[in-house]
Amino acid sequence: MAPNLYIQRRNIEQQEHEERDGMAAYTDYVCESREITESEYEMLKSIEEISTEKAIDEYTLQLMEGGIL
């Protein structure tokens, strides 16, 4: 799109169009999209890599070691 600028898409759906008014049938795609910077993209990738289950286990262990649980 541009240097350090990306398009993020989701909910991509195929949409069929029948032949109409002399125009041949065709298929296109519709979706939600937004522009994000390279740093936003990297941040989103980092968030996806976080293991919620691991974080909860580590926090629970800290509480147990601290005598709270």
Side-chain angles (χ1 to χ4, degrees), residues 1-43:
M1 168 131 204
N4 302 319
L5 190 62
Y6 300 96
I7 296 177
Q8 184 180 40
R9 295 180 175 96
R10 70 176 186 179
N11 299 331
I12 301 170
E13 296 180 10
Q14 183 173 329
Q15 197 172 59
E16 303 286 335
H17 299 273
E18 296 178 5
E19 181 179 346
R20 188 171 143 187
D21 299 328
M23 191 163 114
Y26 65 97
T27 302
D28 65 358
Y29 296 86
V30 294
C31 65
E32 297 176 29
S33 66
R34 66 179 179 177
E35 295 177 1
I36 59 174
T37 63
E38 185 173 1
S39 62
E40 289 170 326
Y41 175 77
E42 294 299 330
M43 181 184 67

